[in-house]
Amino acid sequence: MTTTELVRSATSPEAPVRPDRRNRWYKLRPKLWHLFLIPFCLLWVYPFIWMVSAAFKTQSEMLLGGLSLIPKEWTLENFERAWTTAKFGDYTLNTLTFSIAVVVLTLLASSTAGYALSKPDLPGKKVIIAVLVVTMFIPHSYTIIPVFLLINDLGLNNGLLGAALAQAGPGLVVPILLFMGFFAGIPRDLEEAARIDGAGYVRTFWRVLLPLAKPVIGTVALMNFVFSWNAFFVPLVFTLGAPELRTLGVGMFSFFGQESTDWTGLAAGACISTIPIVIVFLFLQRTFVEGIAGAVKS
């Protein structure tokens, strides 16, 4: 058999197909990556699992049990102590009120500001955006004194509304940029059509444009709800004179004493404060992902 006949027989349809090692490697590579990343994922979630486990342990077992995850003696006394003695029931209601107020204030301010900045003919638009971006790099604690004095002059000190105003202000930059990018991507013909139908600027914004921004609204609401729920510094400053208005983050201090610390009660309190965040995320995760994807595209 000549060389030409050998080549033809190898490339003919009847020739046996050799396994493509390259394709097999491409199919196997994601599985190897998964095996490589699983230990890191377990390492990442281990502290959370340990916290949940410690909430069901006794104080002595938690201190002597080391890093074990399964309690030898299950108990719910830690949750009862956190809910009643440490007043986590009241702190949960305060945190919910505080977080909702922050979300409402943030949505109102950032959506209107983002709509105004989406206008290409706005005078000083680049300067305003530059100033907003610069403020993102200023630590929140550096501006707490003038913010406290302003809210004190408004008579809102030692109250959740004052704390919500102080919390919402520094967190406006990212939501404003998200709304600005979204509104800039909406065709101007839509606004002009609403104007021809007799709608003014305010009605066009509230009735036509804002309903289209539901993914961004969901993203901003979820982000700010989580941030405000976990906030510590601002609620601490604005509830120093009103301990009954403390949020969950500040209320964690009630487990620390001068001579001892209630670690199991602290773990139970952390579990209680985590449950609402998980529930909210489960309801809004799809909206959150769509909003982030839309913001990145815009």
Side-chain angles (χ1 to χ4, degrees):
M1 184 178 292
T2 62
T3 306
T4 306
E5 290 173 345
L6 288 173
V7 172
R8 287 178 179 174
S9 63
T11 56
S12 63
E14 292 77 11
V17 179
R18 294 181 179 179
D20 191 345
R21 295 181 178 178
R22 181 177 296 179
N23 291 336
R24 291 174 60 185
W25 165 248
Y26 280 129
K27 292 180 180 178
L28 187 62
R29 192 167 60 175
K31 298 179 180 178
L32 295 177
W33 269 111
H34 291 164
L35 292 176
F36 177 74
L37 293 175
I38 284 175
F40 291 97
C41 294
L42 294 176
L43 186 65
W44 186 265
V45 300
Y46 176 80
F48 176 75
I49 299 175
W50 189 91
M51 178 193 73
V52 176
S53 172
F56 292 97
K57 293 180 179 179
T58 60
Q59 185 84 350
S60 58
E61 183 184 352
M62 195 209 70
L63 295 176
L64 300 176
L67 300 178
S68 63
L69 295 179
I70 301 176
K72 296 179 182 178
E73 182 181 353
W74 293 79
T75 179
L76 295 176
E77 292 180 358
N78 301 319
F79 289 94
E80 182 181 358
R81 191 167 63 255
W83 190 260
T84 57
T85 307
K87 299 181 180 179
F88 262 54
D90 297 336
Y91 295 159
T92 301
L93 184 60
N94 294 338
T95 309
L96 188 63
T97 305
F98 169 73
S99 301
I100 291 176
V102 172
V103 170
V104 172
L105 291 171
T106 302
L107 286 176
L108 288 174
S110 62
S111 60
T112 51
Y115 175 61
L117 289 174
S118 68
K119 301 290 184 183
D121 54 348
L122 180 69
K125 175 182 175 180
K126 293 184 179 179
V127 176
I128 296 173
I129 295 175
V131 172
L132 287 175
V133 173
V134 169
T135 59
M136 293 175 60
F137 299 95
I138 300 176
H140 197 176
S141 57
Y142 289 5
T143 58
I144 191 62
I145 294 177
V147 170
F148 180 82
L149 294 176
L150 285 172
I151 293 179
N152 190 40
D153 290 341
L154 294 174
L156 299 176
N157 188 23
N158 290 329
L160 293 177
L161 181 57
L165 284 171
Q167 181 70 26
L172 284 176
V173 180
V174 174
I176 287 175
L177 296 178
L178 287 175
F179 275 108
M180 183 189 71
F182 181 82
F183 288 131
I186 296 179
R188 298 296 170 189
D189 297 340
L190 191 62
E191 293 184 57
E192 293 176 0
R195 302 280 174 73
I196 293 174
D197 290 340
Y201 283 99
V202 177
R203 189 174 180 184
T204 302
F205 174 72
W206 285 103
R207 296 292 182 88
V208 179
L209 300 179
L210 198 58
L212 298 176
K214 286 182 180 178
V216 182
I217 292 173
T219 303
V220 172
L222 181 59
M223 289 173 58
N224 282 273
F225 187 83
V226 173
F227 291 152
S228 56
W229 190 275
N230 296 324
F232 173 77
F233 184 64
V234 170
L236 174 66
V237 171
F238 284 89
T239 59
L240 283 175
E244 70 279 4
L245 295 178
R246 288 176 177 172
T247 59
L248 286 168
V250 182
M252 290 287 184
F253 263 111
S254 59
F255 295 103
F256 293 93
Q258 294 182 349
E259 298 179 354
S260 63
T261 300
D262 185 1
W263 294 108
T264 53
L266 186 64
C271 290
I272 292 173
S273 63
T274 305
I275 292 173
I277 292 293
V278 174
I279 294 174
V280 171
F281 180 76
L282 290 177
F283 275 103
L284 294 179
Q285 60 174 336
R286 186 172 182 179
T287 305
F288 177 75
V289 173
E290 291 177 353
I292 290 294
V296 171
K297 288 180 181 178
S298 61

